Amino acid sequence: MQLSDVDMNPKQVFLSVLLFGVAGLLLFMYLQVWIEEQHSAWGPATYFQPAPGIMTTENLHEHIANQSPKFHVPEELKKKKDNLLQPGRPMRLLTKTSSPSQGEKQALSKVSGLLTNNLIENHQGTKTVFKKYGEINWPLDTRPLNDSLVRDNKWKKIEVTQARRRSFLQEFCKKYGGASHPQSHLFHMVSRIYVEDKHKILYCEVPKAGCSNWKRILMVLNGLASSAYNISHDAVHYGKHLKKLDSFDLKGISTRLNTYTKAVFVRNPMERLVSAFRDKFEHPNSYYHPVFGKAIIKKYRPNACDESLNNGSGVKFKEFVHYLLDAHRPIGMDIHWEKISKLCYPCLINYDFVGKFETLEEDANYFLQRIGAPKELKFPNFKDRHSSDERTNAQVVRQYLKDLSRTERQLIYDFYYLDYVMFNYTPSFL
C-alpha cells in the first residue's frame, strides 16, 4: 500500500480536527455542569461557592415599607401565586445562583409522591450513591405534641404562641411556596438535623440561636451525661457524641421525619449576624481569622498592614458586612451566618415546634415537658463562650449598626428577607 492511499487532504484534516474540538468542548461543558451539581450539597466545598447578586436600593424600599408584626408579603408577590423563590425576581434572595441556589429554591417548594433519582453525597466517605426518595411526601406533616405530658396550666400561653407560629409559617409556605420539584439532595436537606431516638426528637441546628445548650440537652436525653452544666464546649461541638439525620439510610431518614417530633429554634436575623461576628472575629480563633479574616481584610481594607494581612485578626463589622453582601465574595458562606431557610428547609419540613431565641428558656422548658423529659432537666441559661461579654441584644446590635449606612442595613435585611418573613420578625434595626 502506497503512502498516498492513507494520506488525507487538508480539508479532511481540518474537518477531523474541528470535530474533535467540538466533541472536546461539549464534554468539558458537560463535566462542568456535572461537577457543579455534585457540589450543590453542603460540605467543605460550599465555602467557596459564589454568592447571589445584590439587590438594588430602589427595589428594597418596596419590601421594607409597611412592615408590621402581622403577616406581610410585598404587593408584587400578592399578585402572583408562583414560587417566591422563582429565579429572575429582582431580589438578592430570589435570584438564580450557581450553588447552593437550589437550596433556596427548594426551601419553598412542595412535592408529593415524586420519584426522582438524585445523587446523594455520602458524608461518611468519598463515594456517592444514587437513591430514590420520592416516597417521602413533601412537605412533611406536623405531629401535635402530647398534651398529657404537660403537668400544669402555666404553659397555656406558650401553646397559643406555638400554634400561631406554626400557622404563620405554614400559611406563608402554602401561599408563596409554589409547586416545583426538589432538586436538592435529601442528605443535604437533613444535614443540620440532630437525632435523639429515646424521646424521638429531631432538632435542626441554627448556630447562634442557642444550639450549644440544645446539644447539651440532647446529650443528657441520650444518657451521655447526667447534667447539661458539666459538658464542655469542645465536647458539645467536637466530640461527635450526637447522631445527625444524614447518617442514617434512606429508610431511617424517612421513618424519623414522619414519626419524630421536629423542632427548630430561630433568632432575629440581625442579632444573629452580630452575635456571629462577635464570636468569630472579636476573639482569638485559629480557623475564622486565617480563613475568613485574611480574605476579608485583603479585599475590603485599603492599604491594610502586613500584620493584618498575615493573621486575619481585627476584621471590622463594616468589612464583614461588605463580604456578606458581595456578589463575588473572596470566600463563601458559613453556617453561623447562613440563612435559616437554607439550613432547616422550613417549607419542606413542617416543624412541630418553632422556638425563638428571644424566649429561649421558656420555649425550651415547655418543649421538654411536652416530650416527656425528666422533670429535673431544665434548659441551661449560661453563656457557652466568652461569658464575660455582654450578650448580643438589641442595644448591642445598634452599636454595631452605627457605622453602616441605611442602604447597607437595608441590604442586610434583604439578604435575610425569608428569615424575617417566615418567622415574623420585623426589621426593627432599619
Side-chain angles (χ1 to χ4, degrees):
M1 181 171 62
Q2 296 182 355
L3 183 62
S4 59
D5 294 334
V6 295
D7 281 348
M8 300 174 62
N9 61 45
K11 183 177 181 180
Q12 290 175 315
V13 172
F14 174 76
L15 290 174
S16 299
V17 172
L18 181 62
L19 288 174
F20 276 113
V22 171
L25 179 61
L26 291 175
L27 178 62
F28 174 77
M29 293 171 64
Y30 171 80
L31 289 175
Q32 284 289 99
V33 172
W34 185 84
I35 290 172
E36 288 180 2
E37 288 177 351
Q38 310 322 310
H39 285 176
S40 64
W42 284 350
T46 305
Y47 289 131
F48 302 97
Q49 299 300 331
I54 296 179
M55 173 185 178
T56 63
T57 305
E58 290 78 8
N59 290 332
L60 272 168
H61 295 300
E62 179 178 359
H63 305 301
I64 292 170
N66 301 321
Q67 279 281 18
S68 71
K70 296 182 178 181
F71 185 75
H72 168 79
V73 174
E75 290 298 326
E76 65 175 29
L77 299 181
K78 294 178 182 178
K79 299 175 183 178
K80 299 183 179 182
K81 297 295 290 183
D82 52 356
N83 193 338
L84 179 62
L85 294 181
Q86 179 179 336
R89 296 193 182 280
M91 291 181 61
R92 179 186 179 92
L93 285 176
L94 314 183
T95 54
K96 187 173 182 180
T97 62
S98 59
S99 177
S101 62
Q102 292 297 332
E104 287 184 337
K105 188 176 180 182
Q106 275 46 268
L108 293 176
S109 303
K110 290 183 179 180
V111 174
S112 178
L114 174 69
L115 292 175
T116 309
N117 287 329
N118 284 273
L119 181 66
I120 298 177
E121 189 172 318
N122 187 333
H123 298 292
Q124 295 178 329
T126 57
K127 68 177 182 177
T128 55
V129 294
F130 284 90
K131 295 285 187 181
K132 288 185 178 181
Y133 61 88
E135 59 266 29
I136 300 178
N137 293 322
W138 305 102
L140 299 171
D141 293 332
T142 54
R143 296 179 56 79
L145 296 173
N146 190 350
D147 289 327
S148 65
L149 296 176
V150 177
R151 300 177 177 90
D152 52 53
N153 294 323
K154 70 177 182 178
W155 305 109
K156 188 171 295 185
K157 180 180 178 182
I158 301 179
E159 178 50 42
V160 172
T161 300
Q162 275 300 307
R164 185 168 63 247
R165 289 175 185 172
R166 290 192 301 268
S167 175
F168 187 92
L169 178 59
Q170 291 167 9
E171 183 69 13
F172 174 84
C173 295
K174 179 181 178 181
K175 287 184 176 181
Y176 302 100
S180 60
H181 304 320
Q183 304 291 322
S184 186
H185 306 319
L186 174 62
F187 280 26
H188 159 54
M189 288 169 55
V190 301
S191 64
R192 306 309 316 169
I193 297 179
Y194 284 86
V195 179
E196 200 283 290
D197 284 316
K198 182 178 179 180
H199 295 83
K200 296 187 175 182
I201 299 170
L202 298 180
Y203 163 71
C204 186
E205 175 191 30
V206 176
K208 313 313 299 176
C211 70
S212 296
N213 283 337
W214 260 117
K215 290 181 191 177
R216 289 183 171 93
I217 289 292
L218 294 179
M219 291 176 68
V220 173
L221 292 174
N222 266 303
L224 299 172
S226 58
S227 171
Y229 289 87
N230 299 329
I231 308 173
S232 69
H233 175 87
D234 287 350
V236 167
H237 291 284
Y238 309 119
K240 297 184 178 180
H241 300 293
L242 298 172
K243 292 181 181 179
K244 286 187 176 181
L245 192 53
D246 64 348
S247 67
F248 295 89
D249 60 16
L250 184 65
K251 182 178 179 181
I253 293 174
S254 176
T255 299
R256 287 169 175 81
L257 281 174
N258 285 289
T259 60
Y260 282 24
T261 300
K262 302 174 288 292
V264 61
F265 277 72
V266 301
R267 186 176 187 177
N268 179 289
M270 196 73 81
E271 286 192 14
R272 182 170 166 253
L273 178 68
V274 172
S275 176
F277 171 79
R278 296 177 73 199
D279 181 31
K280 303 307 178 187
F281 295 102
E282 292 189 346
H283 297 274
N285 193 297
S286 61
Y287 173 72
Y288 285 92
H289 290 190
V291 175
F292 285 86
K294 289 169 66 173
I296 290 173
I297 290 173
K298 182 178 180 179
K299 182 165 185 179
Y300 306 106
R301 183 180 299 177
N303 305 315
C305 66
D306 291 339
E307 182 180 359
S308 296
L309 291 171
N310 289 333
N311 60 33
S313 299
V315 172
K316 296 179 175 62
F317 184 65
K318 191 178 185 74
E319 296 168 339
F320 176 65
V321 169
H322 287 175
Y323 143 79
L324 183 76
L325 301 176
D326 192 350
H328 305 285
R329 297 190 194 101
I331 188 168
M333 284 295 289
D334 179 86
I335 60 171
H336 291 85
W337 47 84
E338 182 59 278
K339 305 155 195 168
I340 300 173
S341 58
K342 291 175 64 174
L343 293 173
C344 297
Y345 293 89
C347 280
L348 284 177
I349 301 173
N350 281 343
Y351 289 93
D352 309 295
F353 194 91
V354 180
K356 289 194 172 184
F357 185 83
E358 293 76 12
T359 52
L360 178 57
E361 279 190 69
E362 191 177 39
D363 288 351
N365 287 324
Y366 171 70
F367 178 79
L368 291 174
Q369 285 220 19
R370 296 301 297 265
I371 55 99
K375 186 176 182 179
E376 64 276 8
L377 181 60
K378 303 297 181 184
F379 192 83
N381 59 3
F382 63 86
K383 204 168 184 286
D384 185 54
R385 292 200 301 172
H386 318 308
S387 57
S388 61
D389 291 358
E390 183 181 2
R391 289 183 182 271
T392 303
N393 53 33
Q395 184 177 357
V396 171
V397 169
R398 289 189 178 91
Q399 292 299 313
Y400 281 81
L401 297 182
K402 285 194 306 183
D403 294 332
L404 301 184
S405 67
R406 177 172 173 79
T407 298
E408 288 167 334
R409 295 196 299 271
Q410 289 176 335
L411 288 171
I412 296 174
Y413 166 73
D414 175 52
F415 185 83
Y416 290 108
Y417 180 76
L418 279 184
D419 289 356
Y420 273 105
V421 176
M422 282 181 171
F423 302 110
N424 199 18
Y425 282 109
T426 56
S428 54
F429 297 106
L430 297 179

